[in-house]
Amino acid sequence: AQSVAQPEDQVNVAEGNPLTVKCTYSVSGNPYLFWYVQYPNRGLQFLLKYITGDNLVKGSYGFEAEFNKSQTSFHLKKPSALVSDSALYFCAVGPFGQNFVFGPGTRLSVLP
Amino acid sequence: NAGVMQNPRHLVRRRGQEARLRCSPMKGHSHVYWYRQLPEEGLKFMVYLQKENIIDESGMPKERFSAEFPKEGPSILRIQQVVRGDSAAYFCASSPDNSGNTIYFGEGSWLTVV
């Protein structure tokens, strides 16, 4: 069965500093990897995905993620954090349907 | 192109009542997924439907919960005889297929059982 781990419940970073939100996965076969962000009382917004191709994926709002097959990781990064980036971030692994699995989420707090 | 539309956004029900949550997928999407997000927990898969078919309901509680996606109209998640533990955010998502294309989420329906 597929699984996703986000080892940090909470990440705190100062505004302007780089941020990393970690994600590791376990799948059989090639992974379909996704990051979503959830603002308070809102739905999930798609940030980026990796299916094939370059290991470094660029997404919305200046976020990027690096697929590392040997470490089975797909960490989310941003060079310079904004206070408005504070939200709940979910890593997910596909494909869709029966086996689309979300990680538990990581709460990011960007401090002014 | 409107996104995934869910209604109601907020629903309050007394214990024992029925809750119906609706989801209209994005135009051209025939695959619908329902997820539940309990307070302080992550998203849990409930059910995956295509038009008129339930593909996978392995995440649905065995009793009181049902889902449908008729040929015409929105997908409906129905919870009968609600209990306090059903209080959660219910998210619907849709995709054009299950090939790996991105699925798009609705804004969610927040159910509160009092």
Side-chain angles (χ1 to χ4, degrees), chain B residues 7-22 64-65 76-88 90 109-114:
Chain B
N7 70 82
R9 289 293 314 281
H10 298 276
L11 182 63
V12 179
R13 285 287 178 267
R14 296 186 183 280
R15 281 178 293 172
Q17 291 184 319
E18 178 180 286
R20 285 193 180 215
L21 309 177
R22 297 174 194 78
R64 303 187 296 107
F65 284 71
I76 307 283
L77 180 66
R78 182 183 179 204
I79 312 171
Q80 295 177 290
Q81 299 175 330
V82 296
V83 300
R84 288 238 172 94
D86 297 333
S87 296
Y90 293 83
S109 291
W110 267 259
L111 172 65
T112 302
V113 180
V114 297

Side-chain angles (χ1 to χ4, degrees), chain B residues 29-91:
Chain B
H29 287 194
S30 59
H31 297 237
V32 166
Y33 315 80
W34 284 93
Y35 290 84
R36 177 165 61 174
Q37 185 178 35
L38 293 166
E40 305 305 321
E41 292 189 24
L43 290 142
K44 304 296 184 185
F45 168 76
M46 297 183 74
V47 62
Y48 164 37
L49 310 106
Q50 293 182 34
K51 284 284 187 181
E52 300 183 274
N53 288 306
I54 296 174
I55 307 303
D56 178 12
E57 56 181 350
S58 58
M60 290 278 269
K62 293 289 185 285
E63 298 177 345
R64 303 187 296 107
F65 284 71
S66 62
E68 63 177 10
F69 188 17
K71 186 177 181 180
E72 301 290 338
S75 175
I76 307 283
L77 180 66
R78 182 183 179 204
I79 312 171
Q80 295 177 290
Q81 299 175 330
V82 296
V83 300
R84 288 238 172 94
D86 297 333
S87 296
Y90 293 83
F91 289 98

Side-chain angles (χ1 to χ4, degrees), chain A residues 32 34 36 38 40-46 49 51 88 90 95-105 107, chain B residues 9 33 35 37 40-43 45 48 55-56 91 95 97-108 110:
Chain A
Y32 295 58
F34 302 81
Y36 287 84
Q38 184 181 23
N41 297 318
R42 300 293 301 276
L44 291 138
Q45 295 180 34
F46 169 76
K49 68 178 178 181
I51 305 293
L88 192 56
F90 289 96
F96 302 125
Q98 295 87 333
N99 296 314
F100 192 65
V101 177
F102 283 89
R107 190 165 298 281
Chain B
R9 289 293 314 281
Y33 315 80
Y35 290 84
Q37 185 178 35
E40 305 305 321
E41 292 189 24
L43 290 142
F45 168 76
Y48 164 37
I55 307 303
D56 178 12
F91 289 98
S95 70
D97 52 48
N98 64 352
S99 67
N101 280 315
T102 304
I103 60 173
Y104 295 89
F105 282 82
E107 290 286 288
W110 267 259

Side-chain angles (χ1 to χ4, degrees), chain A residues 17-101:
Chain A
N17 283 1
L19 70 87
T20 299
V21 183
K22 295 179 180 177
C23 171
T24 58
Y25 63 90
S26 174
V27 302
S28 55
N30 294 323
Y32 295 58
L33 297 161
F34 302 81
W35 276 102
Y36 287 84
V37 59
Q38 184 181 23
Y39 298 100
N41 297 318
R42 300 293 301 276
L44 291 138
Q45 295 180 34
F46 169 76
L47 282 179
L48 49 80
K49 68 178 178 181
Y50 171 84
I51 305 293
T52 60
D54 290 341
N55 290 344
L56 184 63
V57 179
K58 293 190 183 296
S60 306
Y61 312 122
F63 284 92
E64 59 188 26
E66 186 167 11
F67 170 62
N68 188 317
K69 188 173 183 178
S70 62
Q71 296 185 4
T72 61
S73 67
F74 190 56
H75 301 331
L76 182 71
K77 299 182 180 184
K78 188 173 182 181
S80 178
L82 301 172
V83 172
S84 58
D85 292 330
S86 298
L88 192 56
Y89 290 81
F90 289 96
C91 182
V93 60
F96 302 125
Q98 295 87 333
N99 296 314
F100 192 65
V101 177

